Amino acid sequence: MNVPIKANRQLMSFRYGDQQIAFERVKRPQATSKVLIKVHPDCRVVVSAPEDADNEMVLSAVKKRSRWIYEKLRDFRKQLEHITPRQYISGESHYYLGKQYLLKVIEAPEQAQGVKLLRGKLEVSVKIKSAEKIKTLLADWYKARAKEIFAKRLDAMLEQALWVTDCPPLRILTMQTQWGSCSPNGRITLNPHLVKAPRECIDYVILHELCHIAEHNHSERFYRLMSKVMPKWEKTKERLDGMASSITS
């Protein structure tokens, strides 16, 4: 099983004024009759609803909050207008463990190429300034940090996952749609982009995958186990979801 960057979903939509607004319907994990509506900073509208709720009921609940959804989308779209594609030049902001660091590019033909975290800045040394080379060096640096940090956090989370007898194998792999996954034989795979998120978000994904070693699907037993080892996991998941567009670009 896996922790998706964007949840498995059913696409639905409704009309507000002259706009057709699409939203993703996902299963709400806890037993409740309420419909939960969230508008994310990347302008995704996600509606969590009980599995047995029919689409008409869900659509009715969404329409009641149509004005609020419209206004949130309008505000987030204004913010996105100011986000420009990364150029990998000095002055850009890049995430690491939930904090933003300024990128400083140093052209030094005689120095070894690489990345260092110094005095609150990500310093990248290159022989000749090239966006592709800087991007590659940063990706390699993030993967190296991810390998080290994920291994430490896995060890820490195993203290809570008492059902796991041996430390599972860990793989680092860039994935387009998942933060992490757990294979049937218990191997955990984590996305290196996750190292840009706060430590509690890393712990959440690791615990999610460790829970899958005991419960291989998203059953009620799985969510009970998840809530036992991380009582406020839903808030942490929401925080990670809100950062997705910022830390995977």
Side-chain angles (χ1 to χ4, degrees):
M1 303 303 292
N2 59 71
V3 178
I5 291 176
K6 292 187 177 181
N8 293 330
R9 70 238 192 240
Q10 175 187 356
L11 292 178
M12 299 175 66
S13 67
F14 66 96
R15 181 166 288 279
Y16 181 80
D18 60 353
Q19 283 197 28
Q20 191 74 18
I21 299 176
F23 64 90
E24 305 166 15
R25 176 181 173 171
V26 299
K27 178 186 174 184
R28 191 160 189 191
Q30 294 181 338
T32 176
S33 60
K34 293 183 178 179
V35 173
L36 182 66
I37 303 170
K38 294 180 183 178
V39 182
H40 293 280
D42 61 358
C43 292
R44 286 183 302 123
V45 181
V46 179
V47 178
S48 301
E51 191 173 23
D52 59 357
D54 61 49
N55 284 342
E56 285 188 14
M57 189 274 278
V58 173
L59 198 56
S60 175
V62 171
K63 284 180 177 179
K64 287 178 182 177
R65 304 209 58 198
S66 57
R67 181 177 178 82
W68 175 82
I69 295 169
Y70 171 82
E71 290 175 348
K72 293 290 287 185
L73 285 172
R74 180 192 60 196
D75 292 343
F76 283 135
R77 281 169 184 152
K78 284 181 181 178
Q79 294 176 23
L80 289 173
E81 287 175 1
H82 301 290
I83 298 177
T84 55
R86 293 197 182 280
Q87 296 177 293
Y88 295 94
I89 58 176
S90 292
E92 280 187 345
S93 180
H94 290 254
Y95 281 93
Y96 176 59
L97 291 177
K99 296 181 180 179
Q100 288 181 285
Y101 294 89
L102 286 180
L103 180 65
K104 183 178 180 181
V105 179
I106 302 170
E107 190 173 43
E110 305 303 320
Q111 291 184 20
Q113 299 187 120
V115 181
K116 294 179 180 179
L117 186 61
L118 293 172
R119 294 179 292 276
K121 293 181 181 179
L122 274 172
E123 293 190 359
V124 182
S125 298
V126 289
K127 296 186 183 299
I128 300 174
K129 287 185 179 179
S130 158
E132 280 303 313
K133 184 61 180 178
I134 295 164
K135 181 179 181 181
T136 299
L137 287 171
L138 277 171
D140 290 344
W141 183 83
Y142 277 122
K143 284 182 180 179
R145 299 286 75 73
K147 185 176 181 181
E148 177 184 335
I149 289 167
F150 293 168
K152 289 180 179 178
R153 297 317 304 161
L154 176 58
D155 284 343
M157 293 303 100
L158 283 170
E159 294 179 9
Q160 299 179 51
L162 301 179
W163 59 90
V164 182
T165 54
D166 298 310
C167 184
L170 177 63
R171 179 176 64 158
I172 311 299
L173 179 68
T174 302
M175 297 175 280
Q176 297 299 317
T177 60
Q178 297 169 220
W179 291 120
S181 66
C182 180
S183 70
N185 62 4
R187 182 179 67 180
I188 291 176
T189 301
L190 297 175
N191 192 327
H193 285 306
L194 185 62
V195 81
K196 302 174 188 178
R199 191 185 71 176
E200 66 176 7
C201 295
I202 297 171
D203 291 351
Y204 153 70
V205 174
I206 291 173
L207 279 172
H208 184 109
E209 302 312 336
L210 288 174
C211 285
H212 276 311
I213 293 176
E215 297 292 335
H216 296 290
N217 51 39
H218 291 113
S219 62
E220 290 299 325
R221 290 178 64 186
F222 170 86
Y223 287 111
R224 281 200 298 270
L225 183 59
M226 190 71 204
S227 295
K228 183 177 180 180
V229 294
M230 194 177 206
K232 297 182 180 179
W233 69 267
E234 286 180 296
K235 288 186 177 180
T236 305
K237 178 184 182 300
E238 183 178 353
R239 185 180 183 188
L240 181 58
D241 289 345
M243 296 182 71
S245 59
S246 300
I247 66 177
T248 56
S249 59

